[in-house]
Amino acid sequence: MSLCKLMFIGNLGRDPEMRYTPSGRPVTQFTVAVNQSTKNQQTGEWTEETDWFRVSVWGDRAERAADQLRKGNRVFVEGRFKSREYETQDGQKRVSLDVTADQVINLEKRPRDDEGTFGEPAGAPAGAPRPAAAPGGRPDESDLDDLPF
């Protein structure tokens, strides 16, 4: 038995693109940038490198990803990993890091609208009044008993 599983957190590099296979199955594709800071041991300077992953999501998850995710969203992705070599138009050989996602979680506290600005909190109807703050400026915590954990 073999296992090739990958988990990462990063930001969407572009809006998701959804299409349908000839058999009618939805697939959504997007790219995710994962930044990593490393310190040069000789100079002491910090450098930042970015790895890009091409993510494909299938089925019902594909439709949800296309509806909920936008460029810049921070996401958690878990899936199967495969590298693919290709040649650019100018003849350079490159490697593409492709992930077929089993799970995609939007880590944004509030969804972004089409212009990239934050909208209402997730699950709140548009134009709904926001909860009143309790004395001391803290949100009303009476609904915390409804949480499943």
Side-chain angles (χ1 to χ4, degrees):
M1 182 171 125
S2 297
L3 176 67
C4 186
K5 200 75 149 164
L6 180 69
M7 293 185 281
F8 58 90
I9 294 174
N11 295 82
L12 262 69
R14 59 184 165 93
D15 285 341
E17 297 175 11
M18 188 172 80
R19 60 182 173 79
Y20 292 89
T21 64
S23 65
R25 189 167 180 215
V27 59
T28 297
Q29 296 180 322
F30 52 89
T31 57
V32 178
V34 177
N35 297 323
Q36 179 177 339
S37 296
T38 56
K39 187 174 184 179
N40 185 320
Q41 297 298 322
Q42 295 166 342
T43 65
E45 293 182 20
W46 286 92
T47 59
E48 189 166 302
E49 295 179 10
T50 303
D51 291 318
W52 287 91
F53 295 90
R54 292 173 38 98
V55 180
S56 298
V57 187
W58 293 85
D60 293 341
R61 290 186 200 105
E63 293 174 335
R64 283 194 304 273
D67 288 342
Q68 297 175 359
L69 300 178
R70 294 290 171 263
K71 178 181 179 180
N73 281 155
R74 191 161 193 76
V75 293
F76 166 83
V77 177
E78 179 181 358
R80 294 162 300 197
F81 170 70
K82 187 172 191 174
S83 62
R84 178 176 53 88
E85 283 190 29
Y86 67 96
E87 193 170 309
T88 63
Q89 291 179 349
D90 60 352
Q92 292 183 348
K93 289 191 176 190
R94 301 272 173 120
V95 176
S96 176
L97 305 174
D98 298 342
V99 176
T100 301
D102 296 323
Q103 184 175 12
V104 177
I105 298 174
N106 188 355
L107 299 178
E108 295 292 330
K109 292 182 181 178
R110 294 182 287 167
R112 295 180 191 223
D113 58 20
D114 291 335
E115 289 82 41
T117 58
F118 289 105
E120 294 298 320
R130 297 202 171 178
R138 298 183 65 184
D140 181 15
E141 296 180 358
S142 63
D143 61 341
L144 291 180
D145 291 334
D146 295 337
L147 295 176
F149 49 88

